[in-house]
Amino acid sequence: MHSLLSRGNSVLAYTLSVLVTLTFACFLSTILVDYRTGTEMQTLKIEVKNLPEYGVSKKINDLGHITFNLDTDLTSLFNWNVKQLFVYMTAEYETPTNALNQVVLWDKIILRGENSNLRLKNMRTKYYFWDDGNGLRGNKNVTLTLSYNIIPNVGRLPIVGAIGSHTFSFPSQYTR
Amino acid sequence: MFENLSIWKWHMDFMGQKHAEYLFRTIITMCGFIGFILGYVKEQFSITIGLTLIGFLVSALLTIPPWPIYARNPLKWQKVKKVKKIENNLTYDEYKEDKKKEKKKTK
């Protein structure tokens, strides 16, 4: 504290200590928040095609084609320790070869301040619904779920599953 | 000598240092505390960070430059004691050289 530089050092170091403490307190204040919310999904058009997937090989695989409605309000998730949400919709199903298949069909990044009340009607999937074989045709139990990854200012990066899912079945005939 | 050259006295006295430290700690802590409450109420963490940084700027301005308030209690040094003036004010090396010269002269 005797010279100009040592005073500058003290003030800066103390400011940084205070900032670290406040940031940690911010993390503690949101550690027990329950981030689950409800969601409603419907599927409208459901088709399954049998096409060669050239991206991997010339093998002929099943390609699902669905359109969906998504109805969820994520506004309540944004507290002072949430910067953005990465929302994604997953299809889960079982085939004779795999006990659990998970395909991400659609996602969206919601920044803080953007509209987080999602009322989506007749949406196309963002990514292809490829199966790694012929497991989609006539599959009676395909479940759509919505999850989101919460990107905070400080703290953990939790992946939370929304409450509510939608189960549908694929037709037993290929669409040409 | 340097006191005449510099416009500023860069050093604070001991009481000044104590006051300066108390002042910047109070300002930054209060700003951080108020910022935390405001940020929590407004649901905006950048308010907390911003207010703490404003506190940093204010306290830096108030306590880093050696303002004259911090030089009110100068140290009272003892007066310089009077010492007898030494006549031949030589270093040891100079003393040895002188001795050599004296020897050469005697030779």
Side-chain angles (χ1 to χ4, degrees):
Chain A
M1 290 294 293
H2 64 285
S3 72
L4 199 78
L5 273 178
S6 83
R7 279 195 297 277
N9 179 37
S10 312
V11 176
L12 191 62
Y14 187 67
T15 310
L16 290 178
S17 305
V18 170
L19 282 178
V20 167
T21 314
L22 291 175
T23 314
F24 189 70
C26 175
F27 159 62
L28 287 182
S29 74
T30 54
I31 198 168
L32 291 173
V33 175
D34 185 7
Y35 284 112
R36 288 175 298 174
T37 50
T39 178
E40 274 181 44
M41 287 173 280
Q42 286 106 39
T43 40
L44 305 170
K45 193 169 87 177
I46 305 166
E47 284 175 355
V48 58
K49 292 172 183 175
N50 199 234
L51 295 169
E53 188 189 356
Y54 290 116
V56 180
S57 65
K58 287 182 179 175
K59 217 177 118 190
I60 295 177
N61 287 340
D62 278 5
L63 174 67
H65 179 74
I66 61 169
T67 56
F68 62 94
N69 290 347
L70 179 70
D71 211 349
T72 183
D73 189 1
L74 303 174
T75 316
S76 60
L77 299 181
F78 282 95
N79 59 41
W80 73 330
N81 196 14
V82 176
K83 256 196 321 202
Q84 75 174 46
L85 293 178
F86 177 73
V87 189
Y88 59 98
M89 195 176 77
T90 319
E92 284 186 9
Y93 59 98
E94 194 186 328
T95 54
T97 44
N98 299 311
L100 178 66
N101 298 271
Q102 286 180 309
V103 184
V104 173
L105 297 180
W106 174 87
D107 64 23
K108 185 176 171 59
I109 292 169
I110 304 174
L111 296 174
R112 194 189 173 87
E114 287 182 359
N115 179 27
S116 50
N117 189 3
L118 300 178
R119 299 269 177 269
L120 304 176
K121 296 268 177 281
N122 205 5
M123 288 289 292
R124 289 161 151 269
T125 60
K126 208 166 157 182
Y127 308 108
Y128 287 113
F129 192 171
W130 280 111
D131 183 47
D132 66 340
N134 299 306
L136 288 186
R137 188 183 64 153
N139 199 318
K140 293 275 174 269
N141 192 13
V142 182
T143 307
L144 291 180
T145 53
L146 190 79
S147 316
Y148 31 89
N149 191 0
I150 294 165
I151 290 99
N153 288 317
V154 53
R156 301 186 304 122
L157 283 153
I159 290 175
V160 187
I163 301 162
S165 60
H166 174 70
T167 306
F168 66 96
S169 52
F170 275 109
S172 51
Q173 291 297 316
Y174 287 126
T175 315
R176 290 282 164 191
Chain B
M1 185 173 80
F2 292 108
E3 282 172 22
N4 300 329
L5 288 176
S6 63
I7 308 156
W8 286 97
K9 274 187 170 180
W10 294 104
H11 301 287
M12 292 180 176
D13 61 50
F14 286 124
M15 286 305 283
Q17 290 178 33
K18 189 186 162 189
H19 291 319
E21 181 152 1
Y22 181 76
L23 189 67
F24 85 69
R25 277 178 194 258
T26 314
I27 290 172
I28 296 171
T29 312
M30 287 309 290
C31 279
F33 187 72
I34 294 165
F36 190 82
I37 292 167
L38 265 181
Y40 190 79
V41 172
K42 297 247 177 188
E43 292 275 315
Q44 189 79 42
F45 189 61
S46 51
I47 293 175
T48 310
I49 301 290
L51 208 63
T52 315
L53 290 180
I54 288 171
F56 164 72
L57 287 179
V58 169
S59 64
L61 205 70
L62 284 178
T63 62
I64 294 181
W67 300 112
I69 322 155
Y70 303 116
R72 277 180 182 169
N73 303 291
L75 277 184
K76 282 160 190 161
W77 296 99
Q78 283 190 335
K79 283 182 181 174
V80 179
K81 283 178 182 172
K82 282 179 183 174
V83 183
K84 278 183 187 172
K85 207 180 178 186
I86 301 156
E87 280 179 25
N88 45 353
N89 221 348
L90 300 174
T91 62
Y92 184 64
D93 292 340
E94 287 168 342
Y95 171 76
K96 277 204 298 195
E97 272 184 25
D98 278 10
K99 284 268 176 183
K100 277 179 190 172
K101 279 175 190 171
E102 276 176 29
K103 274 183 185 176
K104 276 179 187 174
K105 277 177 187 174
T106 49
K107 277 175 188 175

